[in-house]
Amino acid sequence: MLKDYIDVFLPDFKYYSPDTAKEFSHAPDYPQVVKEAIDKMFELVGKPQFKDNIMQKGVIIRHLILPWYYKESMEIVKYIWEKYHDDVYLSLMNQYTPMYKALTHPKLKQRKLTTFEYDKVVDYALDLGFKNCYIQQGKTATTKFVPHFDGTNVY
């Protein structure tokens, strides 16, 4: 149904473990469902295609690394590499900021992601061979990067 309407997909791959998916999102089947969804997205648009440095077709998989869970993030990175290599783009995000319901979770409320945790995942991705990988630099885990969900500036 989406084949002729979407050229670039931007899915999130949040959790590798069904237990983590259940704990944070009450969705133990999330890892299997996201893998199937990304497979379908890739089937529809294929390898990245660019014109004038602008992606025309492709898949960019976003992954927000959570504090305490960098080893699970490495499992996600490994899975993506083994399945797609550089036929997709990977975006490794470090801006986790504890707020809203995360503030009620014993682990997620404690702190932001550490530089050590983020660097471990980035280094792992690079060691695997990723070239098509977006990496964040600097301190992005601030409320400055959180939109105001008040309906303003919505287009």
Side-chain angles (χ1 to χ4, degrees):
M1 192 168 82
L2 299 174
K3 185 175 183 10
D4 297 324
Y5 298 99
I6 298 178
D7 297 316
V8 177
F9 285 96
L10 187 64
D12 287 340
F13 194 145
K14 296 178 182 293
Y15 320 110
Y16 191 78
S17 160
D19 292 336
T20 306
K22 181 179 180 183
E23 181 178 355
F24 295 148
S25 295
H26 307 288
D29 62 340
Y30 173 88
Q32 187 58 39
V33 171
V34 76
K35 289 174 186 178
E36 291 170 8
I38 292 170
D39 283 348
K40 186 53 132 178
M41 293 172 195
F42 184 76
E43 177 186 317
L44 292 175
V45 297
K47 295 179 182 182
Q49 298 174 28
F50 289 84
K51 181 179 179 184
D52 300 323
N53 289 324
I54 297 172
M55 185 180 275
Q56 303 296 304
K57 285 192 175 283
V59 179
I60 304 169
I61 303 171
R62 300 178 347 140
H63 175 63
L64 176 64
I65 302 164
L66 296 174
W68 312 103
Y69 289 85
Y70 75 92
K71 289 182 180 176
E72 184 163 335
S73 293
M74 292 165 77
E75 289 295 322
I76 290 171
V77 168
K78 179 181 177 188
Y79 171 82
I80 294 168
W81 178 255
E82 289 176 348
K83 181 82 179 188
Y84 303 104
H85 296 288
D86 264 338
D87 290 343
V88 298
Y89 273 69
L90 175 64
S91 176
L92 295 174
M93 301 180 295
N94 67 358
Q95 74 260 24
Y96 174 76
T97 305
M99 55 186 12
Y100 190 53
K101 289 187 178 183
L103 294 173
T104 66
H105 192 279
K107 276 192 172 179
L108 294 182
K109 72 178 182 180
Q110 291 180 14
R111 64 175 173 81
K112 298 175 183 176
L113 186 70
T114 65
T115 301
F116 171 82
E117 290 167 318
Y118 186 69
D119 288 349
K120 288 292 277 185
V121 178
V122 168
D123 290 346
Y124 185 69
L126 297 176
D127 288 346
L128 284 173
F130 271 103
K131 301 278 186 265
N132 297 336
C133 185
Y134 295 108
I135 298 167
Q136 293 181 314
Q137 296 179 345
K139 298 193 182 287
T140 61
T142 69
T143 55
K144 178 174 120 178
F145 287 90
V146 177
H148 297 284
F149 295 102
D150 60 5
T152 58
N153 298 318
V154 177
Y155 304 100

